[in-house]
Amino acid sequence: MNMEFLVEVNGQIYEISELVKSVSYTDKLNDGCSKLEFSYIDDDLRIQNGSVVRFRYDEANIFYGYVFKHDQNKQKEITVTAYDQLRYCKAKDTIVVKNDTIDSLVRKMCNYFNLKVGTLASTGYKLPTSVQDDKTWLDIIYTAISDTLMNTGKWYCLRDEFGSIAVRDLEELQLDLVLGDESLVYDFEYEKSIDDNFYNQIKIVSDNEATGKRDVYITRDSGSIAKYGLLQYFEVLDKNYNPAQAKAKADALLRLYNREVETLELSCLGDVRVRAGNSFFGQIEDINLNRRLIVRSVTHKFIPVHTMSLEVML
């Protein structure tokens, strides 16, 4: 195990890898900042909120961020929680979206919070003009990612890459990695559900300024309704949608939501390359799994050995 653990306190940098008793790193796909939780035995070093933390493992960059919480017990063990830069983007504001793409919005966000910009994929799709009021910057960008996926079929993720904010095309995050029956996995849990995020009828309404009425667009799968019962998704669109766009969105939502939701959690030996948004090839015979999977969330634990728990998208 080759671990480098640096903290900066009051301008001084300390290497504390010999003091650290536990390390856990958690990352989720388009769901806030990544988190590093660790504990160490007090050796006259008192980490403070705002301290910078840099963690590398087996020469791989794992985490760069800032301390937001710390506590101590009677045994002088100090427990610390640090987040990456995206933690600051939970702030609410009023933001005008006009002639923007995902990457241009991210640049605006980084400029506002004085964050370092990393690799920003050029997404191309111009988002609908809107005024986003009392929303967090993260929520606005995640909505932009969802809108871009619906309209282009291209999926992106926002993440902090060791101190730089990045937008990545998920196709670029495919790993040459197999996880399954004979490769690193030692346990799994698998579930199929129609309880959440399953819809076989899509109903979209849009205000028609010309007629003063609401236009209604419905698309459905009769076979699915006969099998599972009617499960409806409903949304009110803003006035910037024309009839063709509204119908296209309804059709896209039905394609997205009209299938059983499968969840799979894997417990594996660790691989430092695995982050939320990365994908790998999964092979588990018991559930007839033999295809590429996207990581929805991952938690790495590094002491005493490196293991990881994954939730993947099926």
Side-chain angles (χ1 to χ4, degrees):
M1 178 182 71
N2 179 14
M3 189 166 75
E4 178 189 87
F5 211 115
L6 301 179
V7 295
E8 182 181 338
V9 184
N10 293 330
Q12 290 286 108
I13 296 176
Y14 302 89
E15 215 296 336
I16 64 167
S17 57
E18 297 298 322
L19 306 177
V20 172
K21 299 300 179 184
S22 66
V23 187
S24 174
Y25 170 70
T26 300
D27 190 36
K28 298 181 179 181
L29 178 59
N30 293 334
D31 187 18
C33 53
S34 67
K35 175 173 66 173
L36 188 76
E37 297 172 291
F38 63 96
S39 64
Y40 70 97
I41 299 298
D42 179 21
D43 191 25
D44 297 326
L45 171 64
R46 298 301 176 94
I47 290 177
Q48 301 171 3
N49 290 332
S51 295
V52 178
V53 178
R54 192 182 91 172
F55 176 56
R56 302 180 79 244
Y57 188 88
D58 283 347
E59 300 184 355
N61 295 334
I62 305 296
F63 178 87
Y64 184 100
Y66 304 89
V67 174
F68 272 74
K69 286 191 290 187
H70 60 90
D71 60 61
Q72 181 176 343
N73 61 24
K74 193 172 182 180
Q75 288 72 42
K76 293 189 175 182
E77 184 173 9
I78 296 175
T79 303
V80 180
T81 301
Y83 301 113
D84 67 38
Q85 291 183 100
L86 290 178
R87 171 62 179 79
Y88 297 102
C89 306
K90 289 173 66 176
K92 288 186 175 182
D93 209 334
T94 297
I95 295 124
V96 177
V97 179
K98 187 174 183 180
N99 295 321
D100 277 305
T101 57
I102 297 170
D103 39 306
S104 71
L105 275 179
V106 171
R107 284 191 185 279
K108 287 181 180 179
M109 180 181 76
C110 290
N111 287 339
Y112 187 83
F113 292 103
N114 195 28
L115 307 179
K116 185 178 177 183
V117 177
T119 302
L120 299 183
S122 180
T123 59
Y125 174 71
K126 290 285 182 71
L127 300 158
T129 299
S130 64
V131 177
Q132 302 288 336
D133 197 21
D134 196 29
K135 301 275 185 69
T136 72
W137 278 89
L138 286 181
D139 285 342
I140 292 163
I141 290 171
Y142 295 151
T143 298
I145 288 172
S146 178
D147 287 347
T148 301
L149 172 62
M150 293 289 185
N151 286 278
T152 69
K154 298 284 284 181
W155 199 0
Y156 298 90
C157 70
L158 172 72
R159 65 188 197 177
D160 186 315
E161 296 181 342
F162 206 62
S164 298
I165 303 299
V167 173
R168 294 283 192 175
D169 184 334
L170 264 59
E171 288 185 6
E172 297 174 356
L173 299 179
Q174 297 183 4
L175 297 176
D176 182 17
L177 173 66
V178 177
L179 295 176
D181 292 327
E182 299 179 8
S183 180
L184 302 180
V185 174
Y186 54 83
D187 198 7
F188 71 87
E189 290 187 17
Y190 172 69
E191 177 184 272
K192 292 180 82 170
S193 171
I194 60 168
D195 198 21
D196 295 300
N197 293 321
F198 176 92
Y199 305 101
N200 46 30
Q201 178 165 295
I202 309 297
K203 183 175 183 180
I204 285 180
V205 298
S206 180
D207 291 326
N208 188 322
E209 292 184 323
T211 64
K213 298 180 180 179
R214 276 190 162 179
D215 295 331
V216 179
Y217 306 89
I218 296 177
T219 184
R220 66 206 311 253
D221 181 335
S222 299
S224 176
I225 291 170
K227 184 175 182 180
Y228 300 117
L230 193 156
L231 294 158
Q232 179 173 283
Y233 175 96
F234 178 79
E235 183 176 345
V236 179
L237 299 180
D238 65 43
K239 60 187 177 184
N240 294 304
Y241 279 80
N242 61 42
Q245 290 173 322
K247 183 180 184 307
K249 180 163 187 176
D251 292 341
L253 286 168
L254 186 65
R255 287 193 299 272
L256 180 65
Y257 288 128
N258 184 31
R259 63 186 185 92
E260 290 177 287
V261 178
E262 300 173 274
T263 58
L264 175 63
E265 296 179 3
L266 303 175
S267 299
C268 324
L269 296 178
D271 187 311
V272 293
R273 297 174 296 169
V274 176
R275 284 197 63 178
N278 286 112
S279 61
F280 61 90
F281 204 81
Q283 292 181 328
I284 300 177
E285 186 175 351
D286 286 350
I287 56 174
N288 298 316
L289 178 68
N290 190 34
R291 57 190 169 93
R292 184 162 287 278
L293 304 169
I294 295 171
V295 179
R296 185 195 299 275
S297 68
V298 57
T299 296
H300 292 266
K301 295 189 176 180
F302 296 94
I303 295 175
V305 295
H306 181 196
T307 61
M308 59 186 183
S309 301
L310 309 178
E311 182 183 343
V312 300
M313 305 182 70
L314 293 167

